[in-house]
C-alpha cells in the first residue's frame, strides 16, 4: 500500500543496491515516517541484508498481504544561547537539553493500514520554564487508520502534515515536540497529479502525559494539488482567539498558493507565491508572500559545492486602524524557519539568504550561510515563528533588522546515526537599536539523531 507525503524526503539513508534482480534502494527516511514504503521488501530480490530490514518488513501471514513495520527516532539536542532576543528575553543567557524518542508501528492488512507513533519528549534546563514545544512528556504523536480504495486513499486520526516546502504547513521537526493534526484527509490520484483534501485541528501539546488535545480555537482545511514541477493549493484557516497589533478577535483567513520547482542539469529552483484574504476583528485581510530559491551544483569542483540564493518578501501591516490587516500569517510553518538560529519568523520580512554546502567527505558536510533582514512595512513590527509579536514598531523609522551568519557541520557516522553541530550569530541592525535591547545573539547547537 502506498502512503503519500506532500514534501520531498528530507533525511537521506545510505543507499544500498539490492543483491540480485533489479537495482533498488531503500526508501529515504522522512520526518513524517508514514510515507516510507517498505512493502517492496516482500520480494527477497529487493533485500540488501541490512539488519534493519528485519524490522521494516515483518510478514504476518503466508501470502504477505498482512505485514508490519517498525522504527524509531532517538534524538538528543543541546542549545546554548547568549543574549537571546538581543538581550530582551526573560532568560537571555540559556542552555538546555532536548531529549525525544519516537518509536512507531506500521500495520498493513490488504487495503487497510494502521500507523501508531508515540513520543516521549523532555527538556532539561529551559529557563524560565519549558514551553509546549520543549516538553510534552509521553503522548501520542501520530495514530491514524488509512484505507485504500482504487485511486483514493482515506486517512483518519492524528498525523503530521507536510505541504510543499513547509512555508505554511509543516511538521515543526526542528524543535523538540513536532506538530500533528487531528482530522481527516483524502488523497486522490489522477494520472500524474495528486489532489489532497483535508480538514483538521492542530494538536496542542500540554505539560502532562497523554493529555495533548485538538485545539478548540484553531482549524485548518483545504486542497493541495501536486503535478510534476507544480503545486497549487487553497488553505482555509480559523482562529477564534487571534491577536494582531494588540487587538484580539476572530480570524478567518484564506490562502491561495502556487509553487514551481524543479531541476535542469546542475541548476535547481523553487519559487512560491501566496495571497491571503479574509476577515479579522472587523478588518479585511490583504496579505501576501513571494519566496524564491535558486541553486547550482558544481560536482566536478573540489568539495562538490552547492551554492544557493534565497530571497523572501513577506507582507506586514502598513497602517494600524485603517480597516485592512496586511500582516501575513504563516499558519503552521516549519520550525527553525531561516536556519538553526531563527529568532524572526516569516512575517513582515524582506530576507536575503545566500549559502554554500560543501562535501568534505562522502559522510561529512559543511554548510555556511549569511542572512540579512529588513522590515517590509515600517508600520509593523517583527514576529517569531509562531506569529507572536516580539518587537513592536514603536517610533522606529529604520527598516534594517540585522544580519546573521551560520555554519553547520554534519557527519553521517553510520547509516542510522547522524551527529551535527552549528554555530550562529545575529547582529542587531538599526530597527532593533531604535526599539530596545540590541545585543548580538549567539547560539551553539549540538545534536545526535539515531533513526531506523
Amino acid at each position: 500500500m502506498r502512503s503519500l507525503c506532500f514534501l520531498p524526503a528530507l533525511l537521506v539513508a545510505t543507499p544500498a543496491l539490492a543483491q540480485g534482480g533489479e537495482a533498488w534502494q531503500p526508501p529515504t527516511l522522512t520526518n513524517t515516517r508514514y510515507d516510507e514504503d517498505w512493502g517492496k521488501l516482500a520480494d527477497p530480490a529487493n533485500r540488501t541484508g541490512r539488519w534493519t530490514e528485519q524490522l521494516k518488513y515483518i510478514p504476518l501471514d503466508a501470502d504477505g498481504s498482512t505485514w508490519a513495520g517498525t522504527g524509531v527516532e532517538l534524538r538528543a539536542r543541546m542549545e546554548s544561547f547568549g543574549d537571546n532576543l538581543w538581550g530582551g528575553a526573560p532568560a537571555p543567557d540559556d542552555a538546555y537539553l532536548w531529549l525525544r524518542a519516537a518509536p512507531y508501528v506500521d500495520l498493513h492488512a490488504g487495503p487497510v493500514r494502521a500507523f501508531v507513533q508515540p513520543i516521549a519528549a523532555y527538556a532539561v534546563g529551559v529557563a524560565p520554564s519549558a514551553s509546549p514545544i520543549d516538553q510534552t512528556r509521553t503522548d501520542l504523536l501520530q495514530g491514524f487508520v488509512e484505507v485504500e480504495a482504487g485511486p483514493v486513499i482515506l486517512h483518519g486520526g492524528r498525523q503530521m502534515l507536510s505541504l510543499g516546502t513547509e512555508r505554511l504547513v509543516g511538521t515543526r521537526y526542528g524543535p523538540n515536540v513536532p506538530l500533528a493534526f487531528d482530522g481527516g484527509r483524502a488523497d486522490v490520484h489522477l494520472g500524474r497529479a495528486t489532489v489532497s483534501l483535508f480538514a483538521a485541528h492542530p494538536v496542542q501539546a500540554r505539560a502532562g502525559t497523554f493529555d495533548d488535545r485538538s485545539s478548540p480555537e484553531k482549524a485548518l482545511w483545504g486542497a493541495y494539488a501536486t503535478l510534476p514541477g507544480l503545486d497549487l493549493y487553497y488553505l482555509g484557516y480559523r482562529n477564534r482567539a487571534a491577536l494582531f497589533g494588540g487587538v484580539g478577535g476572530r480570524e478567518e483567513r484564506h490562502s491561495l498558493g502556487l509553487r514551481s520547482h524543479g531541476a535542469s542539469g546542475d541548476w535547481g529552483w523553487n519559487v512560491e507565491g501566496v495571497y491571503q484574504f479574509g476577515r479579522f476583528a472587523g478588518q479585511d485581510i490583504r496579505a501576501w508572500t513571494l519566496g524564491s530559491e535558486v541553486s547550482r551544483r558544481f560536482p566536478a569542483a573540489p568539495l562538490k559545492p552547492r551554492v544557493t540564493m534565497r530571497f523572501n518578501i513577506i507582507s506586514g501591516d502598513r497602517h494600524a486602524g485603517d480597516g485592512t490587516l496586511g500582516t501575513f500569517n504563516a499558519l503552521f510553518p516549519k520550525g527553525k524557519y531561516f536556519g538553526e538560529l531563527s529568532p524572526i519568523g516569516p512575517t513582515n520580512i524582506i530576507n536575503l539568504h545566500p549559502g554554500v554546502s560543501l562535501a568534505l567527505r562522502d559522510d561529512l558536510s559543511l554548510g555556511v550561510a549569511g542572512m540579512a533582514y529588513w522590515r517590509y512595512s515600517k508600520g509593523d513590527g517583527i514576529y517569531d515563528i509562531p506569529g507572536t509579536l516580539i518587537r513592536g514598531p514603536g517610533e522606529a523609522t529604520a527598516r534594517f533588522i540585522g544580519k546573521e551568519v551560520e555554519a553547520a557541520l554534519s557527519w553521517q557516522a553510520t547509516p542510522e546515526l547522524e551527529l551535527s553541530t552549528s554555530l550562529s550569530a545575529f547582529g542587531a541592525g538599526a530597527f532593533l537599536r531604535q526599539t530596545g535591547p540590541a545585543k548580538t545573539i549567539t547560539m551553539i547547537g549540538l545534536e545526535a539523531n539515531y533513526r531506523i
Side-chain angles (χ1 to χ4, degrees), residues 83-439:
D83 292 314
N84 195 16
L85 288 184
W86 308 282
D93 297 326
D94 193 13
Y96 51 84
L97 176 65
W98 283 340
L99 299 168
R100 81 176 175 212
Y104 73 84
V105 176
D106 187 11
L107 178 63
H108 296 252
V112 180
R113 176 193 190 193
F115 186 93
V116 178
Q117 185 180 32
I119 185 173
Y122 291 83
V124 179
V126 178
S129 62
S131 74
I133 67 168
D134 297 313
Q135 178 169 275
T136 190
R137 294 184 168 84
T138 302
D139 225 297
L140 179 67
L141 178 60
Q142 299 192 91
F144 63 88
V145 174
E146 177 183 290
V147 178
E148 185 172 3
V152 180
I153 301 178
L154 303 174
H155 314 251
R158 178 173 294 182
Q159 66 182 118
M160 292 191 285
L161 296 178
S162 180
L163 305 185
T165 50
E166 298 194 347
R167 286 182 180 275
L168 295 183
V169 180
T171 60
R172 198 175 64 198
Y173 182 79
N176 205 32
V177 181
L179 175 65
F181 292 82
D182 287 337
R185 192 177 103 218
D187 297 330
V188 183
H189 300 276
L190 304 169
R192 300 176 67 190
T194 298
V195 178
S196 296
L197 308 173
F198 50 90
H201 291 263
V203 175
Q204 289 183 332
R206 301 185 182 184
T209 293
F210 290 112
D211 63 347
D212 292 359
R213 298 290 184 270
S214 301
S215 169
E217 291 89 16
K218 297 180 181 180
L220 175 73
W221 63 93
Y224 199 99
T226 60
L227 300 91
L230 189 67
D231 297 358
L232 303 96
Y233 57 89
Y234 159 75
L235 301 176
Y237 170 79
R238 181 179 64 249
N239 184 358
R240 294 189 175 95
L243 184 66
F244 291 96
V247 177
R250 185 181 189 274
E251 175 189 9
E252 185 160 312
R253 188 179 294 248
H254 308 277
S255 302
L256 299 175
L258 176 66
R259 172 180 172 239
S260 173
H261 57 95
S264 179
D266 294 328
W267 289 90
W269 67 89
N270 181 21
V271 180
E272 186 169 1
V274 182
Y275 177 70
Q276 293 183 335
F277 60 96
R279 297 282 292 174
F280 164 70
Q283 303 179 63
D284 291 327
I285 295 172
R286 298 289 184 269
W288 59 277
T289 182
L290 178 64
S292 63
E293 175 184 310
V294 178
S295 64
R296 192 184 191 294
R297 298 184 300 114
F298 298 88
L303 305 181
K304 301 177 181 179
R306 180 177 182 265
V307 179
T308 303
M309 174 61 76
R310 299 184 179 96
F311 175 74
N312 299 281
I313 182 167
I314 307 167
S315 71
D317 196 36
R318 289 185 177 274
H319 303 287
D322 64 355
T324 300
L325 178 65
T327 303
F328 186 81
N329 187 340
L331 307 184
F332 307 100
K334 59 186 175 184
K336 298 185 176 295
Y337 195 94
F338 293 112
E340 293 298 299
L341 170 59
S342 286
I344 299 177
T347 301
N348 193 37
I349 285 290
I350 299 173
N351 165 243
L352 191 64
H353 186 157
V356 60
S357 60
L358 305 171
L360 306 182
R361 296 188 326 207
D362 289 344
D363 59 355
L364 187 65
S365 63
L366 172 66
V368 179
M371 302 81 140
Y373 304 88
W374 296 261
R375 288 189 298 158
Y376 168 77
S377 171
K378 292 183 178 181
D380 206 346
I382 58 174
Y383 298 74
D384 61 13
I385 293 176
T388 304
L389 184 68
I390 56 176
R391 188 73 68 90
E395 300 299 323
T397 58
R399 291 184 186 272
F400 185 56
I401 301 167
K403 53 189 180 295
E404 180 181 354
V405 293
E406 183 171 278
L409 186 67
S410 177
W411 175 36
Q412 195 71 43
T414 73
E416 297 80 28
L417 177 62
E418 181 186 30
L419 303 175
S420 61
T421 183
S422 61
L423 177 63
S424 308
F426 192 121
F431 167 72
L432 292 170
R433 291 194 295 270
Q434 290 176 2
T435 54
K439 298 179 180 179

Side-chain angles (χ1 to χ4, degrees), residues 71-87:
V72 68
E73 176 190 280
L74 303 172
R75 191 185 82 157
R77 180 175 176 82
M78 187 278 291
E79 294 185 347
S80 177
F81 281 89
D83 292 314
N84 195 16
L85 288 184
W86 308 282

